[in-house]
Amino acid sequence: MNINDLLAEVEAKKIVPVVKLDRVSDAKPLCQALCEGGLPVAEITFRTDAAEESIRIAAKAFPEMMIGAGTIVNTEQAKRAVDAGAKFLVSPGLSRSVTEWALDHEILIFPGTCTPSEIMTAMDYGLSVVKFFPASQYGGLATIKALSAPFPSIRFMPTGGINAENINDYLKFDKIIACGGSWMVKDSLINEGSFDKIRELTAQATALVK
């Protein structure tokens, strides 16, 4: 699947669950809960020692899922994530080295942006979609709309402060391809092993954005 196909998949799903796994053993039940809830996609963040192996396990056990890696801050992490099976990369900011590595290897990347200068840098690389992060702290939908005026070719995946109450407000704006969110995969739910609750919240989120 090429980058454009993956972008179309992200847009169709509308929500990208942002997952932090502290235990490798949680990877399978977490992914199963997401799939059963109707949302076969996960951005597994590289914030923990369990991330790389969790991506490897998830990618192998759930080939139908879009497994990505988040919080990628250097090329070493990017390579490890892709080698483990990540189909896309997400960064909290715009790293030239990470972006160049991803493009050189034909990997879909969502670099984090929140300023006009960062968006212009992303455009220099030929990117058409960027992450907007942290969304709520940087003005949310109002800021995205303001940024869209001078950059009509750019679309956004806002992350940070997105929840069941405001996601449809974001998705109604045609410059937003999808939203990253963690309310259905909260750390506390994963650490408690509450995968039934995660499945329930995922199903509710999926129904909400249809």
Side-chain angles (χ1 to χ4, degrees):
M1 192 176 290
N2 63 33
I3 287 176
N4 287 333
D5 290 337
L6 287 170
L7 279 173
E9 282 288 311
V10 171
E11 185 168 12
K13 289 175 172 59
K14 300 182 182 178
I15 305 173
V16 176
V18 180
V19 179
K20 182 171 78 71
L21 292 173
D22 294 306
R23 298 182 300 252
V24 171
S25 59
D26 290 329
K28 280 188 179 180
L30 182 278
C31 288
Q32 184 172 344
L34 288 174
C35 288
E36 291 176 352
L39 197 54
V41 57
E43 174 193 328
I44 298 177
T45 60
F46 246 66
R47 301 179 196 172
T48 71
D49 292 336
E52 181 178 357
E53 187 60 21
S54 294
I55 290 171
R56 182 172 289 106
I57 289 170
K60 184 176 181 180
F62 298 89
E64 72 279 15
M65 287 190 75
M66 281 189 68
I67 301 294
T71 324
I72 298 298
V73 298
N74 56 56
T75 56
E76 186 259 343
Q77 287 181 336
K79 184 179 186 306
R80 285 167 52 203
V82 170
D83 286 347
K87 295 178 181 177
F88 64 93
L89 303 174
V90 186
S91 294
L94 198 157
S95 161
R96 287 182 178 273
S97 60
V98 172
T99 301
E100 290 169 7
W101 186 92
L103 294 175
D104 286 345
H105 292 81
E106 299 182 343
I107 302 297
L108 174 61
I109 183 166
F110 298 97
T113 66
C114 58
T115 67
S117 296
E118 290 165 339
I119 293 171
M120 289 173 69
T121 300
M123 292 174 67
D124 284 343
Y125 285 110
L127 299 178
S128 60
V129 181
V130 295
K131 178 180 180 178
F132 182 72
F133 175 82
S136 61
Q137 287 82 354
Y138 277 97
L141 182 58
T143 299
I144 293 173
K145 287 182 175 180
L147 289 168
S148 293
F151 307 118
S153 65
I154 292 293
R155 302 182 75 191
F156 300 86
M157 184 171 72
T159 304
I162 311 292
N163 53 51
E165 285 69 42
N166 62 18
I167 188 168
N168 276 324
D169 292 333
Y170 280 91
L171 291 174
K172 286 175 186 175
F173 186 49
D174 64 356
K175 297 298 183 182
I176 292 176
I177 186 172
C179 293
S182 58
W183 77 91
M184 77 294 291
V185 287
K186 289 181 179 177
D187 295 355
S188 57
L189 292 174
I190 296 173
N191 291 333
E192 292 166 2
S194 300
F195 298 107
D196 287 343
K197 182 64 175 179
I198 290 172
R199 181 175 63 248
E200 177 186 339
L201 290 172
T202 302
Q204 290 173 2
T206 304
L208 186 66
V209 300
K210 280 186 177 177

